Every structure is written in C-alpha cells, then in structure tokens.
Amino acid sequence: MLSNLAELNLGYNNLSGVISEDHFAGLMNLKSIELSYNNLELIIDSHWVPPFKLDRADFSSCHLGPQFPKWLRWQKGTSALQISNTNLVGRIPDWFWTTFSDAKLLDISFNQLSGKLPPSLEFMSLITLLMQSNLLSGLIPKLPRTIEVIDIYRNSLNGFVPNFQAPQLQAAILFSNSITGTIPTSICRLQNLLVLDISNNLLSFELPDCGRKELKQLNPSSNHSPRVNSTSSFSLKITTLLLGNNSFSTGFPLFLQQCPSLIFLDLTQNKFTGELPGWIGEAMPNLVMLRLRSNNFSGRIPIEIMELHALRILDLSNNNFSGAIPQYLENMKALTGTTTANKTVLANPFVQEYTDNKYMYSDMFSDSISVVIKGQLIEYRENTIYLTSIDLSCNSLTGEIPQELSSLAGLINLNLSSNLLSGNIPCKVGNLRSLESLDLSKNILGGGIPQTLSDLTYLSYLNLSYNNLSGRIPSGHQLDSLKADDPASMYIGNPGLCGDPVPRQCPGPPGDPPSTKDSARWHEDGLSQLDFLLGSIVGFVAGTWMVFCGLLFMKRWRYAYFGLLEKLYDRLYVVSVVAWRKWSRTIR
C-alpha cells in the first residue's frame, strides 16, 4: 500500500513465505527492489503486468522458477538485474536480450538454463554479464563493445564466433567449458584485458604470439606503421593468465613476451615442449606464480628464474628438466620471509571485482589451483596468495641441493622428490622456519640427516624415503610427532639409517639426543674435566721448572743431588754383581 515507495531493500535476512502480485499492486513508484538471500518464493501469474518500472532488481537465491518469469518482459530500461540461483530451468527466451538491452549488469548464473546464446549481443549496453554454472551451449557470441566482464564458466560452450571482439573487456572467465580449437588472434586487440581464465577446456595448438604477423592481420591498413613493424612497443595488460588442463603444444608461448604485467601464470597439464627461454625474468618481472606442472618441458632450469624477486609459487614438477638446481635462490626475495619482501599486498587471482557507474560487485569464482603438498593434492582458492611453494619433483635434476636454499625462511612447501639429486641434505635446513611440508624422497642423497630438522617447529609432513641416507635418525620437537600411525615410512628405503622409528638399532649405547637440561649438565661436567686437565699440566710444568731452577742456582742442592745419584748408582752396581754371581753358581 506504500504508493510512494521507491526503494525496497529486504536482502540478506531470514524471510520466508510466498510473494504474489498482490504484494506489488500499489507500488506504482517502485524503482529498486532487493530481496536477495532470503527463503522467499515468488509465485506470479504469467499474464500479470507490473505497475512499476524497475531500475534495479535483485532476486538472487529467491525461488522464481522453474519457468522464466514472464513479467520481467515489462521491465524495459532496467539497468541491473540479478536472478542468480533462482531455480530457473529451460531456454532463455528471445525477448530477454532485447528487453534488457540497456542493462549494465545481468546476472543469471547458477541456474539450469540451456540452449544457445544469440550469435551477437553487440546491440546491448552491458558492462558485466554473469552466466556461470548453467547448461549453455554453442559459441561465445559477439559481445557488446561496452562489456568489461564476462563470466561464463562451467557451461558447455564450444568456441568463439569469428572475429571475436570486445575492446573494453577486462576479465574473461571461461574455464570448465568445452571450447575447442585455439585462442583467437583477436586477443591481441584486447588492450584492457587483465584476467583470462580459459583453463579446463579442449584448446590445442599454440597461442597467438601477438607479433608482427598477427598485428598486420588485425590492422591491415597500418602495414607501414612503426607500431606494427616492431613488437617492442606492443604489450598487453594481462595480470592473470590461467590456461591449465588443455592440449596446448609447441614451445613456451612467445605470446608471454607481450605480457610485462603478468602476476599469475598457470600452464599446467598441457603438452608444451622444449626448453624454457632465458627471457622469462625480463619479460615478466612481476610474476608471483609460475606453474608449468605436467608438461613436456626439457633442458636446464634457466637461472633467470631466480631473478623473479616477487615469485612465491614455483611449480615445474612432472616435466623432463635436467641439470642442477640453479644457484642464487636467495634472490627470490618473496620466499625469504623478510619484512621488506612481505610488504607487497596482492590481489587474489580468484576474486574479481566488477564495477559499473553506480556500484561495485565482488565475486569469488570457483576456479582453483591444485598443489601437491603434505603428500596429497590440495585445492587452493582464496588462500592462494598466502602459499609459498617450490615444487621441482618428478624431473631428472642432478647435483647437490644448493646451500642457498636455507635462506628461504618464508617457504611453506618444498618438494624435490623423484629426481637424481646427490650429496648431503644441507646442514642449515633448520633455517627454513616456516616449512610445513618437506619431500626429498626418491633421490640418491647420502650422509646423515641433520639434527637441525628438529628446529622446524611448523613441519607437519616429512618424506626422506628411498635415498642413501645413513647414521642415527634425529629426534626431538616436531620429528617425534610426524606420521604417528607409521613413522618409519618417512625413512623407508634407507638401509643405512638406524634408531627410532626404524627397526635397525644404532651401535653403541642407545639414547636420545640430550634435552636442554641434560645438555647444560653435560656442558658443566665437560668444563670441570677440562679445568682439572689444564690445572694438572700447569702444575707439572711449574714443579719441573722449580726443581730445575733450584739445581741451576743452588750449589749445595747440586752437590747433594748428584751425591745421592752416585750413592744410588754404587748400591745398584754392587747388588747387581752379587746377584749375578749367585745365579751363576746355582747353574753350575
């Protein structure tokens, strides 16, 4: 009955029940309504004509379905419509796109809407289009020239329309579809693109390198332009590029040379081959995440990677890399755990802020990265920016583990398993104070296990199995509580190891390393024995010099001393002669 009511906001409550057209009968001046995140059900006759013209409407998580609400057809001129997770089923009606052609925001995500999208949406004024988690199929259409964000992940879309263009596009979230072929070369024209997530699709071949050839194709009338003839002045603004779980092939993408702002790069589970180029550090100096897991890369790991000062996640596992682990690991400042290195505030790669002229809309999309940590595959989403990890496992790396590794005090996960690493475990491994997971298994490491491992108070997973380690297994602190169900499995495959928890006992008296109290007592007793020994030596030297000086400077002492020696000599001589004669007579 509130005929002058212009704005109704009841969102984010615990309201339930049914709303019908009778509730809206007198709201002739209503411009904005928000009923989102309640338990309300809208049951409205399909022939009902609403008395108002809405500018903004948010019915997210209300029950509108299963049929697409026909009364929305009368809301032409609406600037923002959100009907996500409203149990809608079936095809999107054709009138929907023309009715809301002036809308800046459309959110129809998390329903069961099916069918194909129109071949072109260029006539619309959209800035943000959210259609994720539906059953949509067909091609990604020609988009409005005004669009900045398109979010269509988890559908069944299978490709792009020819001549795909969106000059204002900033974020394209397209993962978990069925997109085939290759990424269109028109991506080189997306000068405002910041986020491209096209992982978990069926893309193949190679990425466009946005070089001379592509630029000429995109700008055929500018063949004589210096910008076309030189790629050095051309660059993209992409900060997040997620291409994992596709079938991309050929070498490391030259496309990345044009992405100097790149922060998060994920090329995992593809078919990339060849060596990593040395220009990685120079072309993408701001990289925080570099993930190349499960490809066919080979050759040495370029030392230029160590110049990525902001790098926090380095995953080169399950490739064919060989040679030694590069030196200068301490140059990766973000892994050192210093205050200076941690000052940088990162945006989350899986949170995207959508803005239009009137308000900002934030959404965390459901993509993630899979990290092998603590012996299992763990999915990271919003907490990705807090992970610090180096994973070089399942390669053919040789040589020793660099001592410089101990400088990475901020490292949480270190996995060097399944390589050909030799030498000893660095004695300063205890400096990695933030380490929670350490896997050095399936190498040919030798020598003893450093006692400093017990200094890793955050350690919750350790695997040193199948090496050539020997000597007593250290204990204390975290080491005594790891893998309580089967602690010996951490050391299996090292026949030279002895002591708890393996069956082989060490030679000599058994005993744990001294506790703090025992160490103090041992130190005190050791000092007492040392004092006694030093005192005895000093006393012996002093006494000897006193006798020598007395004989040297006292004539009476000399006469008495040497006279005593002569008398002793004469007596020993007489005794020995008499004894010899008696012994000779007895024999005769």
Side-chain angles (χ1 to χ4, degrees):
M1 304 303 295
L2 303 176
S3 58
N4 293 323
L5 186 66
E7 181 175 348
L8 175 62
N9 188 342
L10 302 176
Y12 294 88
N13 279 288
N14 232 353
L15 301 174
S16 60
V18 175
I19 293 180
S20 66
E21 58 267 26
D22 293 338
H23 291 91
F24 299 115
L27 303 181
M28 293 174 290
N29 291 299
L30 192 63
K31 296 297 181 184
S32 175
I33 182 171
E34 179 170 349
L35 303 177
S36 60
Y37 300 100
N38 283 287
N39 297 314
L40 296 170
E41 182 177 6
L42 276 71
I43 300 180
I44 294 177
D45 187 87
S46 58
H47 301 291
W48 178 64
V49 178
F52 46 73
K53 295 288 185 180
L54 294 174
D55 178 61
R56 312 179 69 82
D58 189 351
F59 299 103
S60 300
S61 297
C62 292
H63 184 86
L64 300 183
Q67 299 299 318
F68 210 94
K70 293 183 178 180
W71 65 269
L72 290 176
R73 188 171 188 173
W74 303 101
Q75 299 305 307
K76 191 172 180 62
T78 300
S79 65
L81 174 67
Q82 295 172 257
I83 50 174
S84 65
N85 192 26
T86 52
N87 302 303
L88 297 179
V89 178
R91 299 176 65 88
I92 302 174
D94 294 337
W95 56 259
F96 176 79
W97 305 107
T98 53
T99 298
F100 294 99
S101 60
D102 295 329
K104 301 296 188 293
L105 166 66
L106 286 180
D107 183 359
I108 57 174
S109 58
F110 296 99
N111 286 292
Q112 298 184 55
L113 297 170
S114 57
K116 296 181 179 181
L117 297 172
S120 176
L121 298 177
E122 289 182 296
F123 61 91
M124 301 187 74
S125 303
L126 282 171
I127 293 177
T128 302
L129 177 59
L130 310 178
M131 299 187 290
Q132 63 266 32
S133 293
N134 278 287
L135 304 173
L136 301 173
S137 58
L139 300 176
I140 298 173
K142 289 184 178 181
L143 298 174
R145 297 187 62 83
T146 54
I147 198 162
E148 296 179 4
V149 176
I150 180 169
D151 200 338
I152 327 179
Y153 69 81
R154 292 201 177 122
N155 278 280
S156 299
L157 300 169
N158 56 26
F160 298 87
V161 293
N163 197 23
F164 179 80
Q165 299 182 38
Q168 303 301 320
L169 191 62
Q170 297 181 20
I173 317 301
L174 310 173
F175 71 89
S176 295
N177 277 281
S178 301
I179 302 174
T180 59
T182 187
I183 295 177
T185 56
S186 56
I187 191 176
C188 301
R189 263 187 297 204
L190 304 181
Q191 294 292 298
N192 294 301
L193 188 63
L194 300 176
V195 179
L196 176 61
D197 186 353
I198 200 166
S199 58
N200 195 25
N201 276 283
L202 303 173
L203 291 161
S204 57
F205 306 110
E206 59 182 339
L207 277 72
D209 66 8
C210 293
R212 255 179 231 171
K213 181 179 178 181
E214 283 74 12
L215 292 176
K216 285 182 179 180
Q217 289 176 349
L218 297 175
N219 300 279
S221 61
S222 304
N223 287 337
H224 301 290
S225 169
R227 183 180 180 88
V228 174
N229 293 329
S230 174
T231 61
S232 60
S233 61
F234 173 79
S235 64
L236 296 171
K237 298 178 182 178
I238 297 177
T239 60
T240 301
L241 181 60
L242 309 179
L243 305 177
N245 197 17
N246 279 283
S247 297
F248 289 112
S249 55
T250 70
F252 194 78
L254 296 176
F255 169 79
L256 300 175
Q257 286 183 302
Q258 318 302 332
C259 303
S261 303
L262 204 57
I263 297 177
F264 301 96
L265 175 61
D266 188 352
L267 304 180
T268 59
Q269 292 182 302
N270 278 283
K271 299 177 181 179
F272 289 111
T273 59
E275 299 184 3
L276 296 186
W279 49 258
I280 287 182
E282 181 180 356
M284 300 174 286
N286 301 312
L287 272 183
V288 170
M289 180 179 78
L290 176 60
R291 303 187 69 240
L292 309 179
R293 178 171 58 88
S294 298
N295 279 283
N296 296 315
F297 289 115
S298 58
R300 293 179 175 270
I301 299 174
I303 198 170
E304 287 81 2
I305 285 182
M306 302 302 114
E307 298 301 322
L308 296 171
H309 302 306
L311 197 64
R312 299 188 185 189
I313 301 174
L314 175 62
D315 189 349
L316 307 182
S317 62
N318 198 19
N319 279 281
N320 299 313
F321 289 112
S322 58
I325 298 174
Q327 304 292 323
Y328 309 111
L329 290 164
E330 67 274 13
N331 288 342
M332 293 192 288
K333 302 297 184 182
L335 297 179
T336 59
T338 61
T339 304
T340 304
N342 291 331
K343 280 184 178 179
T344 305
V345 179
L346 288 176
N348 196 307
F350 303 120
V351 175
Q352 182 61 40
E353 291 183 345
Y354 311 130
T355 61
D356 64 19
N357 294 329
K358 296 185 179 179
Y359 79 117
M360 181 170 62
Y361 171 77
S362 297
D363 177 47
M364 184 177 71
F365 54 91
S366 301
D367 203 0
S368 62
I369 65 170
S370 301
V371 178
V372 178
I373 181 172
K374 301 181 182 180
Q376 53 189 324
L377 198 65
I378 297 180
E379 299 288 330
Y380 281 81
R381 289 189 176 89
E382 67 273 15
N383 49 358
T384 300
I385 57 175
Y386 304 111
L387 178 65
T388 53
S389 171
I390 293 180
D391 190 347
L392 307 180
S393 62
C394 301
N395 282 287
S396 299
L397 299 175
T398 56
E400 299 185 358
I401 300 174
Q403 293 290 337
E404 295 86 352
L405 190 70
S406 60
S407 64
L408 306 182
L411 198 61
I412 292 176
N413 176 46
L414 176 61
N415 190 347
L416 304 179
S417 64
S418 299
N419 279 288
L420 302 172
L421 298 173
S422 57
N424 298 332
I425 299 174
C427 58
K428 294 183 179 180
V429 67
N431 292 346
L432 303 176
R433 297 306 178 95
S434 301
L435 205 62
E436 297 180 15
S437 177
L438 175 61
D439 192 345
L440 304 179
S441 63
K442 298 178 182 176
N443 281 285
I444 48 178
L445 297 171
I449 302 175
Q451 177 63 41
T452 54
L453 269 180
S454 62
D455 296 334
L456 303 179
T457 53
Y458 289 107
L459 194 66
S460 59
Y461 178 83
L462 174 66
N463 191 351
L464 303 179
S465 61
Y466 299 103
N467 279 285
N468 291 327
L469 300 171
S470 58
R472 185 183 294 274
I473 296 174
S475 60
H477 301 298
Q478 289 291 99
L479 295 181
D480 296 337
S481 60
L482 298 177
K483 279 200 173 182
D485 54 336
D486 186 16
S489 63
M490 297 185 294
Y491 309 105
I492 192 173
N494 292 282
L497 290 177
C498 61
D500 290 334
V502 300
R504 181 171 175 262
Q505 297 302 311
C506 295
D512 295 330
S515 63
T516 304
K517 186 175 180 181
D518 294 336
S519 298
R521 187 183 302 119
W522 177 87
H523 185 65
E524 183 178 350
D525 294 342
L527 286 177
S528 299
Q529 295 176 8
L530 184 61
D531 292 343
F532 174 77
L533 180 61
L534 289 174
S536 301
I537 294 173
V538 172
F540 175 78
V541 172
T544 303
W545 272 100
M546 287 179 65
V547 173
F548 177 77
C549 290
L551 294 175
L552 184 63
F553 296 107
M554 303 285 291
K555 184 183 294 186
R556 188 169 49 184
W557 282 25
R558 286 200 302 272
Y559 288 162
Y561 177 72
F562 288 111
L564 181 62
L565 286 180
E566 287 180 355
K567 289 181 182 180
L568 182 61
Y569 172 77
D570 291 341
R571 180 173 294 182
L572 288 175
Y573 178 76
V574 172
V575 170
S576 61
V577 170
V578 171
W580 171 258
R581 288 180 178 179
K582 285 183 180 180
W583 182 71
S584 300
R585 289 175 184 174
T586 304
I587 294 177
R588 292 174 182 174

